[in-house]
Amino acid sequence: MLPLGLLGDGEVGEIVAVAGADQKTGAARAEDMGLRIGKRVLMLNNGAGPLLVKVDESRIAIDRGVAMKIKVRTA
Amino acid sequence: MTAAPKLRTSAAADPPGDARAITVAVAGNPNSGKSTLINAIAGTRLQVGNWPGVTVEKKEASFEHAGRHIRLVDLPGTYSLSPYSQEEIVARDYLAHERPDVIVNVVDATNLERNLYLTVQLLELGIPVVMALNIHDEAEAKGYRIDVRRIEERLGIRVVPTSATKKKGLEQLLEAMVGTALARGARKPVDLSYGPDLDAAVRDVARELVARHPQLVDRYPLRWLALKVLEDDERVSAETSLDRDAFAAATLEHLRTAHGEDLEALLAEARYALAAGLAREVLQKPELQKIELTERIDRIVLNRFLGIPIFLATMWIVFKLTFDLSSPFGEWIQGMTSGPFKRWAATLLGGVGAPGWTVSLVNDGIISGVGFVLVFVPVIFAMMFFITLLEGSGYMARAAFVMDKAMHAVGLHGKSFIPMVLGFGCNVPGVYATRTLENQRDKVLTALLVPLMSCGARLPVYVVFVGAFFPQNPGTVIWSLYVIGIVLALVMGVVFKRTLFRGDAPAFIMELPPYRMPSFRSLCLHTWEKGKHFLTKAGTYILAVSVIVWFLLHLPWGVESKKDSYLGKAGQVMAPALAPLGFGTWEAASSLITGVIAKEIVVGTMGEIYAPAPEHAEEAPTLGEDLKEIVTSFGAAVGESVGNVVSTVGISSLSFEEKEDHSALKGALRGAFTPLTAFGFMVFVLLYMPCVVVAIAMRQEFGGWKWFGVAFAYQTALAWVAALLVHEGGRLLGLGG
């Protein structure tokens, strides 16, 4: 289990926990946009700035801070 | 079906209680094609306004369909109906309190599960729903098979596959809307089951609500209210002062022991499980999915080394194309207003025996003033067109992504970049666009920086000066001004972050939509929506200002020299302050004074002061000759514009400049400025206080004049310092003063 923010480009993980999904934090918005427990996410771009992940058919750009709150299990 | 449905607008608002009027609310995720769909249905009949009390854009359209009066209300795009962002609050308040006859839920067929999450929440309201399964063509092309019938059965609603860009399914959608609205009651959506424990709790709470708070049951949909009570929704709690724990104590106790304390999260899970289950049930995807084009493009466009260069290059191409395409038309308009229109006006006024000063007022005040502005209509529309193209194609979101890191240095995130980019067209929509940001800090900080983005109204000033002083490389000089604005915005952002806005930038989360080619029609519609603002401004209030400026220049009555007019005197007072910058003349100062009303007016005033219209002594062409000339020169402009684009890779072709005889102003400017002071003047115009319209926009957004005061003070100081640096730096480099 590792934070989503540590997945490399092209790596896939399954979300196992979203920490602090209190509705006002970024994590809760991420949940509304589909980054939920049980989802498989594909890291598209983990470069210098924000991260770009693909979940289902959406490409979602998230802050590194939010990405560190989401824990994933790699296959 | 290919043609758009025949629609007729009706200017009158619905008479209350008209049984035939149908109110339709359109809800959906951002990027679900909702606005394209609404444009396809309502087109130019859309009225854009604000939701009362908040600064979220509200679009509405009224039209007749099948003998029914339909009022279409576009709700802000949202992923959910939680009470945590302005958009979500607007959408849910409208639905819960106004209770439209039917909700059209626009769903992105290529992204079913997440869109269904919102659908599930819409169904809770108990309002009849019609689903527009949009982007259906793309889903089919991807090999998705969606069982439309099954969705209809499961949810108890009508589902119509649509493709807004191809205008498919619109007629069926309209028919389903009307049919569903008329069958109200008979066609109620299914109450979805959230599992036996939650269902029991909702039932118990609802029963107690009916028994104990009948007045609330009239104000809110019952099941929805019961769900909100269970969630302990902060907004509903505040509105109703209901205490969740006073309800259904036994059931709640059971829920908590079985599922944990956080009932809001429990309900969110239940809704998502429903959406996911339904998506699995109705959607068949092909086994193998190829890497999409969007991802392949993104690999390049978002590359950590290439991203920013690509962004800058894109902006440069946009500016280049904007000028190349539009300048011949600008010239054509200038030719028309400076020649034939003035002759006609003089002939007309002379014919009715009006005194000489009225001819001057009409020609120099009205026709010149408006003419000077109209000349820039092609530039501004071309710019809006390309910005719309960037937005519609999906690139704008990438720009936000690429710029996020740089924006973090400023204490903002990439999303704030979009209002800034819009600010290039006009600062006013830029300020309004700050409402898409999540919190007040971001909004205010972004709005303070937006006026540093060089707007379309500043272009006229640059174009005239560049034409006069830098005809060899106009594109580069103008581009450099845009870059100066951006760089200073970054600098000021850091300053503000350290002073007025301490604290962390909030989290950045944003969807990057797939790349799509927007249809030409929708591009034109959106361009028109944006450009209309400039046109109305030019038509009405800039006209008024030109007239006022004319009077300021010609009063006190009988004043001989412009210098002794009221405006000239004000300019003389101001001029010493500008002297260190190299343009401390009363002419320049007077022009700048009028520019606070709208920056494009600087050019109009300069026209008035530096190059008053010559006496019309030359033998006038006949009306017929004039008309013929107008038409043939338009043809030439079209040819030139096309030619410019074809040769766009070659030599810069900003060609406002060629026709010397049309611009006495440029000649006069060459006498009054040097290239160095001209550049300093342009920098000053770029930076000094935002125009009155921006002031009003800031006041509307943030209440009171405080933030506008901050913007006014810091920008004017910044402009002065920057122009001073240009002047002194230039002299040090030996560029002459």
Side-chain angles (χ1 to χ4, degrees):
Chain A
M1 203 168 96
L2 76 168
L4 176 60
L6 296 183
L7 284 186
D9 286 5
E11 282 190 295
V12 176
E14 185 191 322
I15 298 180
V16 289
V18 180
D22 164 318
Q23 280 292 338
K24 280 168 200 164
T25 67
R29 288 195 83 72
E31 285 201 313
D32 278 347
M33 292 171 84
L35 287 166
R36 310 185 74 93
I37 293 171
K39 282 284 171 193
R40 281 165 61 83
V41 285
L42 165 65
M43 179 64 67
L44 291 173
N45 189 319
N46 189 346
L51 313 163
L52 183 63
V53 297
K54 184 167 183 183
V55 56
D56 291 328
E57 296 305 317
S58 344
R59 276 157 289 267
I60 298 173
I62 51 172
D63 237 61
R64 194 161 292 274
V66 180
M68 296 313 270
K69 287 189 191 146
I70 299 173
K71 302 284 188 280
V72 296
R73 180 170 50 213
T74 49
Chain B
M1 192 205 84
T2 48
K6 282 262 180 289
L7 304 171
R8 196 156 56 81
T9 42
S10 149
D14 305 343
D18 180 354
R20 286 162 21 107
I22 296 170
T23 304
V24 181
V26 186
N29 278 194
N31 303 312
S32 60
K34 186 160 68 74
S35 70
T36 317
L37 186 72
I38 288 175
N39 269 326
I41 292 175
T44 49
R45 298 147 185 93
L46 274 183
Q47 301 286 323
V48 182
N50 267 357
W51 289 92
V54 286
T55 46
V56 174
E57 193 171 81
K58 180 182 193 182
K59 287 186 183 174
E60 271 193 83
S62 288
F63 55 85
E64 304 280 329
H65 178 79
R68 300 277 156 186
H69 186 81
I70 297 178
R71 192 165 76 98
L72 208 62
V73 178
D74 183 21
L75 301 176
T78 59
Y79 296 104
S80 124
L81 290 180
S82 61
Y84 300 109
S85 78
Q86 275 187 347
E87 282 79 11
E88 288 169 345
I89 291 171
V90 164
R92 62 183 248 159
D93 280 3
Y94 181 83
L95 293 172
H97 297 305
E98 307 291 322
R99 300 203 212 170
D101 298 304
V102 56
I103 302 171
V104 169
N105 175 207
V106 184
V107 163
D108 175 357
T110 66
N111 199 345
L112 209 49
E113 184 176 308
R114 197 195 60 205
N115 280 258
L116 287 173
Y117 180 61
L118 178 65
T119 308
V120 170
Q121 296 182 58
L122 291 172
L123 293 175
E124 288 171 357
L125 287 153
I127 298 167
V129 172
V130 171
M131 183 187 291
L133 197 57
N134 201 25
I135 321 184
H136 193 254
D137 52 331
E138 238 174 79
E140 276 186 330
K142 279 181 158 185
Y144 287 17
R145 303 232 318 264
I146 298 172
D147 190 340
V148 172
R149 276 286 121 66
R150 184 68 67 89
I151 307 177
E152 291 191 325
E153 278 167 25
R154 285 284 184 265
L155 304 180
I157 61 175
R158 296 265 311 262
V159 178
V160 182
T162 56
S163 164
T165 44
K166 302 209 169 105
K167 295 191 194 300
K168 282 193 183 140
L170 301 184
E171 196 70 54
Q172 293 90 323
L173 182 64
L174 280 164
E175 185 271 315
M177 266 183 220
V178 175
T180 303
L182 294 182
R184 174 154 214 164
R187 242 196 191 284
K188 280 198 86 172
V190 170
D191 284 342
L192 295 167
S193 168
Y194 296 163
D197 287 354
L198 276 169
D199 289 349
V202 172
R203 255 197 321 274
D204 290 351
V205 172
R207 197 175 315 127
E208 290 188 28
L209 278 169
V210 173
R212 288 157 47 189
H213 302 280
Q215 79 288 359
L216 287 180
V217 177
D218 294 331
R219 275 174 59 200
Y220 297 91
L222 179 60
R223 182 175 145 84
W224 186 79
L225 182 61
L227 283 162
K228 295 299 134 185
V229 169
L230 272 184
E231 284 179 307
D232 210 8
D233 182 279
E234 59 179 39
R235 194 166 168 82
V236 168
S237 307
E239 280 173 7
T240 60
S241 46
L242 284 176
D243 176 15
R244 168 173 72 177
D245 296 317
F247 284 88
T251 333
L252 277 179
E253 190 52 39
H254 171 68
L255 262 184
R256 281 176 171 155
T257 36
H259 302 281
E261 286 295 315
D262 191 349
L263 297 188
E264 186 174 12
L266 179 65
L267 271 164
E269 278 315 315
R271 292 185 184 111
Y272 214 90
L274 271 172
L278 185 62
R280 260 198 311 278
E281 195 182 333
V282 301
L283 172 66
Q284 273 184 289
K285 289 185 190 182
E287 284 285 304
L288 269 178
Q289 289 198 53
K290 52 183 189 299
I291 298 178
E292 287 173 64
L293 181 63
T294 292
E295 266 136 55
R296 271 180 283 164
I297 298 175
D298 275 346
R299 259 179 223 165
I300 302 162
V301 165
L302 302 181
N303 179 288
R304 79 159 87 175
F305 303 109
L306 297 177
I308 289 180
I310 288 176
F311 169 69
L312 290 178
T314 308
M315 294 318 281
W316 189 83
I317 291 168
V318 163
F319 292 132
K320 179 102 177 86
L321 279 177
T322 299
F323 297 125
D324 284 354
L325 266 174
S326 62
S327 56
F329 294 102
E331 240 180 279
W332 173 70
I333 292 175
Q334 192 184 13
M336 245 181 355
T337 51
S338 64
F341 283 13
K342 286 189 179 175
R343 281 198 292 276
W344 297 343
T347 313
L348 268 178
L349 288 170
V352 299
W357 68 268
T358 57
V359 177
S360 164
L361 171 63
V362 167
N363 275 347
D364 303 334
I366 298 175
I367 298 183
S368 289
V370 174
F372 263 120
V373 173
L374 285 182
V375 165
F376 302 101
V377 166
V379 185
I380 281 155
F381 271 76
M383 175 79 80
M384 296 294 185
F385 180 85
F386 287 114
I387 284 176
T388 311
L389 177 65
L390 289 185
E391 272 178 317
S393 65
Y395 183 74
M396 202 67 107
R398 269 72 185 180
F401 182 89
V402 166
M403 294 306 291
D404 187 67
K405 198 168 161 54
M407 297 297 282
H408 262 283
V410 188
L412 287 170
H413 51 60
K415 232 173 160 179
S416 295
F417 201 69
I418 292 174
M420 296 202 174
V421 172
L422 291 178
F424 286 132
C426 175
N427 288 173
V428 176
V431 170
Y432 284 129
T434 58
R435 59 179 72 152
T436 59
L437 305 174
E438 265 113 63
N439 61 61
Q440 190 72 2
R441 173 193 181 278
D442 281 14
K443 288 180 197 201
V444 174
L445 181 47
T446 309
L448 282 178
L449 300 180
V450 161
L452 297 180
M453 302 297 113
S454 188
C455 67
R458 275 163 256 194
L459 259 184
V461 185
Y462 306 158
V463 169
V464 166
F465 273 84
V466 159
F469 294 98
F470 308 99
Q472 309 80 15
N473 40 13
T476 315
V477 171
I478 294 181
W479 184 74
S480 75
L481 286 161
Y482 281 87
V483 171
I484 289 173
I486 296 170
V487 169
L488 287 177
L490 297 180
V491 172
M492 287 314 296
V494 174
V495 172
F496 284 136
K497 188 188 167 190
R498 300 250 162 101
T499 53
L500 295 172
F501 300 91
R502 288 164 192 275
D504 291 330
F508 169 66
I509 303 177
M510 174 179 191
E511 191 181 0
L512 302 191
Y515 290 104
R516 292 200 173 104
M517 193 59 210
S519 78
F520 188 70
R521 185 187 121 96
S522 100
L523 275 181
C524 291
L525 259 173
H526 282 110
T527 305
W528 172 245
E529 261 172 37
K530 292 187 183 123
K532 200 164 62 176
H533 177 78
F534 178 80
L535 260 188
T536 41
K537 230 170 86 180
T540 55
Y541 123 106
I542 288 173
L543 170 71
V545 173
S546 325
V547 172
I548 293 170
V549 168
W550 185 89
F551 276 110
L552 284 179
L553 264 173
H554 291 82
L555 291 178
W557 193 251
V559 65
E560 281 295 306
S561 137
K562 295 270 160 68
K563 197 176 174 185
D564 299 325
S565 66
Y566 288 146
L567 187 63
K569 285 196 180 122
Q572 288 175 52
V573 173
M574 276 236 334
L578 301 175
L581 315 180
F583 44 84
T585 61
W586 70 267
E587 292 98 331
S590 305
S591 309
L592 288 171
I593 292 172
T594 55
V596 301
I597 297 165
K599 290 196 174 177
E600 59 266 55
I601 289 181
V602 170
V603 175
T605 313
M606 289 191 138
E608 277 280 273
I609 293 178
Y610 285 103
E615 62 298 343
H616 303 282
E618 76 274 29
E619 84 288 10
T622 65
L623 183 65
E625 282 165 5
D626 269 344
L627 287 174
K628 199 175 146 212
E629 167 63 18
I630 288 172
V631 172
T632 50
S633 61
F634 181 75
V638 173
E640 199 181 328
S641 171
V642 172
N644 278 347
V645 174
V646 172
S647 67
T648 207
V649 277
I651 316 129
S652 294
S653 39
L654 188 70
S655 49
F656 265 100
E657 200 266 333
E658 260 87 83
K659 295 182 184 165
E660 293 291 322
D661 52 325
H662 277 309
S663 37
L665 174 57
K666 282 172 194 161
L669 287 177
R670 281 197 205 99
F673 289 83
T674 66
L676 180 63
T677 56
F679 191 76
F681 187 81
M682 288 193 281
V683 169
F684 195 87
V685 168
L686 162 69
L687 300 173
Y688 85 123
M689 74 162 280
C691 71
V692 169
V693 194
V694 170
I696 293 166
M698 281 181 135
R699 200 192 110 91
Q700 273 179 2
E701 294 294 295
F702 308 121
W705 293 105
K706 178 186 169 198
W707 290 114
F708 174 72
V710 173
F712 176 86
Y714 100 80
Q715 279 190 247
T716 305
L718 186 66
W720 197 85
V721 172
L724 184 73
L725 287 177
V726 167
H727 189 58
E728 293 301 324
R731 284 211 302 202
L732 275 179
L733 293 174
L735 296 176

